[in-house]
Amino acid sequence: MTTFTAKFIDQEWEVPVESGRYHMIVGEFCPYAQRPQIARLLLGLEEHISISFVKNVPTEIGLVFDQTEPVTGAMSMKEIYESMDPNYEGSYTIPVLIDKTDNRIVCKESADMLRLFTTAFAELHKADAPVLFTEDQAPAIDPAIKTINQDFHSLMYKFAFLDNQADYDAYTEKFFAFLDNMEVTLSKQAFVAGNELSEADIHFYTLVVRWDVACRELLLINKYSLEDYPHVFAWAKKLYNDFGLKSLTNPQAIKENYYLGKFGKATHVHQILPAGPNMAKWEN
């Protein structure tokens, strides 16, 4: 029987891979939560792992549900985390993977959950599932993921909390330098880490769609648009249309969370002169 190591803060224990045993809690707005959601779809794990969703906009106690969460009986992520540890003092984040035999959180890190689904859950994959990660591919996939998270992901959300022009200008330069490099990469190969779809594409897709839908204007990351990167845009549309990610991409949920949540509240106090838009696209 295949097992994997369940983790919650400093606790670790072994649990088996079993169809129907696990339940995932996500939010349609969240790039982290969308990572394992995409793997669940692409790998055919929908019949094996159940799912529920938090509301798009958090309350004063964090993320909550429209109604009682069907597996845990909770009304908020706070309840779920505190059921694991009454003295828990961290963030009540998503996604989480729940063991339905005892309602314990067995994974709460999205990158770890994505890797679990692509590797430990392989025996439950559908017959024609794409191979999103192997150890042989790791030298290409893992550095790509690290670069995406360092040079694009973390940078994008720093824009929400800037309060001076010099930092904004520096971050803008770095942000679009990353996209320049990715445009070159995707002009030479079909996917982020080579010519096959991988975990790296999932990491990048969840961010690109949120930049285009919300962050470009809300966070003033608007020197260029997605259309100014034709190879990146074509790659994103391929995932959206050909790989079925349209069904997992909810622009309204993204906008509600970003504009009405912490990013919208943070940017209301900023007085920053944006670097864009790029008006070249207006010219013939």
Side-chain angles (χ1 to χ4, degrees), residues 43-45 48 116-130:
L43 300 174
L45 294 174
H48 303 291
L116 278 177
F117 288 178
T118 60
T119 57
F121 281 73
E123 63 193 55
L124 300 180
H125 291 180
K126 63 182 181 180
D128 60 346

Side-chain angles (χ1 to χ4, degrees), residues 75-87:
M75 286 299 297
S76 69
M77 291 305 299
K78 181 176 185 289
E79 288 181 50
I80 292 172
Y81 273 84
E82 291 181 350
S83 71
M84 288 288 296
D85 180 359
N87 298 314

Side-chain angles (χ1 to χ4, degrees), residues 51-247:
I51 194 168
S52 61
F53 299 84
V54 296
K55 294 177 69 173
N56 295 332
V57 182
T59 69
E60 65 279 358
I61 63 167
L63 297 168
V64 298
F65 301 96
D66 267 325
Q67 54 190 2
T68 302
E69 203 284 317
V71 169
T72 63
M75 286 299 297
S76 69
M77 291 305 299
K78 181 176 185 289
E79 288 181 50
I80 292 172
Y81 273 84
E82 291 181 350
S83 71
M84 288 288 296
D85 180 359
N87 298 314
Y88 179 78
E89 295 181 348
S91 299
Y92 311 119
T93 57
I94 53 171
V96 295
L97 190 65
I98 302 285
D99 184 340
K100 290 192 277 191
T101 66
D102 55 15
N103 284 350
R104 297 178 77 188
I105 296 173
V106 297
C107 184
K108 71 178 194 69
E109 300 296 336
S110 65
D112 292 345
M113 199 180 304
L114 173 58
R115 185 63 53 87
L116 278 177
F117 288 178
T118 60
T119 57
F121 281 73
E123 63 193 55
L124 300 180
H125 291 180
K126 63 182 181 180
D128 60 346
V131 178
L132 299 175
F133 178 85
T134 66
E135 290 300 331
D136 289 342
Q137 296 170 315
I141 294 173
D142 287 341
I145 291 172
K146 183 177 179 179
T147 301
I148 290 165
N149 287 328
Q150 286 184 347
D151 298 343
F152 192 69
H153 188 182
S154 64
L155 195 62
M156 185 161 70
Y157 294 121
K158 287 179 180 178
F159 278 89
F161 306 101
L162 293 176
D163 59 5
N164 69 83
Q165 189 71 43
D167 285 346
Y168 170 80
D169 292 341
Y171 284 9
T172 294
E173 183 177 353
K174 292 178 182 178
F175 184 89
F176 288 103
F178 173 85
L179 283 174
D180 290 341
N181 291 334
M182 193 59 75
E183 176 69 9
V184 172
T185 296
L186 290 170
S187 73
K188 299 176 180 178
Q189 59 194 43
F191 298 100
V192 171
N195 287 315
E196 300 294 335
L197 185 72
S198 75
E199 287 185 12
D201 296 281
I202 294 174
H203 279 260
F204 191 37
Y205 175 85
T206 62
L207 301 170
V208 166
V209 71
R210 282 159 181 79
W211 170 54
D212 187 56
V213 168
C215 294
R216 183 178 177 273
E217 295 303 327
L218 177 64
L219 304 185
L220 306 181
I221 318 173
N222 58 0
K223 184 177 182 179
Y224 299 107
S225 68
L226 184 54
E227 295 89 333
D228 293 316
Y229 296 90
H231 291 99
V232 174
F233 196 21
W235 162 87
K237 289 190 289 186
K238 183 191 304 181
L239 269 65
Y240 184 83
N241 294 294
D242 299 347
F243 287 89
L245 301 197
K246 179 179 179 179
S247 66

